Amino acid sequence: MKITISSLLIATVAATANAEVWKITSMDKGTRENTCSRQIQACQNNCGGPSLAPMAFCNSTTMAWGCGCLNNTPNMEVWNWPVPAADCSGSLNVCKTNCSVKNTNECFVNCTKTHMCNTEDAPVSYTSASDVDIVPKYVGPAVSYKGDKLGDLNDGNNRDNLSPSSSHSGSSGPKSDSDSAGSQKEATDKVNLATRLQLTGAAVLAAFAAGITF
Ligand SMILES: *[C@@H]1O[C@H](CO)[C@@H](O)[C@H](O)[C@H]1NC(C)=O
Ligand SMILES: *[C@@H]1O[C@H](CO)[C@@H](O)[C@H](O)[C@H]1NC(C)=O
Ligand SMILES: *[C@@H]1O[C@H](CO)[C@@H](O)[C@H](O)[C@H]1NC(C)=O
């Protein structure tokens, strides 16, 4: 009995050490593959079948994912797709793990407030991509899908230079978006298009590059 308990403790410590800085690609291979296959399947179901889902992809190495249907706009809320949902719960776990440093109840409460996973208040996941070969950004400004600025996600990633307010310098937007992100109108069009394509993470960055404040 005692041996079982101490080996459980060792396993917990090892898992904790692995997860100091959250990145979705640090999930083990099996979990990545499982999450990806659920992602592709959810997209295909949403489109009405595999043949109607030409843009259902998920790269189990990078976790880049996308969903585009032939006949309909995917109607799954972005925060509920398997990959962004896994990104949120992983970040939440590391947030809580890191509370052992501060070890205050407020710290755990903060993690719960900043990680309302599977809701529009969840932190935006920067995992979506326009193609299976494109490596996602992973880390972006801490904002919710609703557009609210969130507190410190406390998951080991430094977002100090990624805050929405500092992006007015125009230097923090993604290269692919910065050339055409001149006006709010354009950015809004992009957000609309991106939302239809489920490219929310990239869209939020594009909006920041265009100076839209949340
Ligand atoms: C909890 O969040 C608030 C608001 O962001 C912050 O001021 C406070 O320092 C946080 N507390 C801890 C223990 O991280
Ligand atoms: C996943 O992305 C990597 C990096 O861009 C790429 O080399 C690889 O071919 C992609 N895998 C699949 C299955 O497309
Ligand atoms: C844990 O929180 C402290 C205090 O905010 C921070 O300095 C440290 O980088 C965090 N560590 C991880 C692994 O998130």
Side-chain angles (χ1 to χ4, degrees):
M1 195 60 176
K2 269 177 190 157
I3 290 166
T4 310
I5 289 168
S6 31
S7 56
L8 274 176
L9 283 176
I10 288 163
T12 307
V13 168
T16 301
N18 273 339
E20 272 192 345
V21 176
W22 170 249
K23 197 176 175 188
I24 192 165
T25 51
S26 57
M27 297 194 305
D28 65 58
K29 192 165 179 278
T31 308
R32 293 198 312 271
E33 286 173 352
N34 175 281
T35 306
C36 256
S37 85
R38 286 188 295 111
Q39 175 60 50
I40 291 169
Q41 191 151 30
C43 178
Q44 290 175 340
N45 288 346
N46 206 281
C47 293
S51 61
L52 299 173
M55 276 272 292
F57 67 86
C58 183
N59 183 324
S60 62
T61 306
T62 63
M63 297 309 285
W65 68 281
C67 180
C69 308
L70 215 51
N71 295 339
N72 62 296
T73 300
N75 65 2
M76 177 90 100
E77 310 282 19
V78 186
W79 47 89
N80 282 329
W81 288 112
V83 173
D87 199 18
C88 183
S89 69
S91 174
L92 171 62
N93 286 339
V94 173
C95 186
K96 286 176 177 168
T97 300
N98 197 28
C99 283
S100 61
V101 178
K102 296 176 180 173
N103 207 12
T104 61
N105 187 48
E106 191 192 35
C107 185
F108 289 96
V109 170
N110 278 4
C111 290
T112 311
K113 280 188 193 157
T114 52
H115 293 79
M116 311 258 278
C117 300
N118 298 91
T119 78
E120 63 177 350
D121 295 308
V124 165
S125 169
Y126 298 89
T127 48
S128 60
S130 53
D131 189 85
V132 72
D133 286 333
I134 293 176
V135 180
K137 297 209 97 64
Y138 301 113
V139 180
V143 289
S144 70
Y145 291 99
K146 207 165 73 181
D148 290 339
K149 199 166 179 280
L150 299 172
D152 184 7
L153 298 187
N154 198 28
D155 66 358
N157 290 296
N158 184 353
R159 295 177 177 85
D160 287 351
N161 298 321
L162 297 170
S163 71
S165 53
S166 69
S167 69
H168 287 281
S169 62
S171 58
S172 59
K175 272 199 168 65
S176 55
D177 286 316
S178 58
D179 51 346
S180 57
S183 69
Q184 289 210 2
K185 165 87 173 68
E186 256 178 275
T188 307
D189 290 347
K190 269 172 177 269
V191 170
N192 290 341
L193 173 66
T195 303
R196 270 189 279 133
L197 293 173
Q198 302 288 346
L199 299 177
T200 304
V204 169
L205 285 173
F208 287 147
I212 293 174
T213 48
F214 288 85

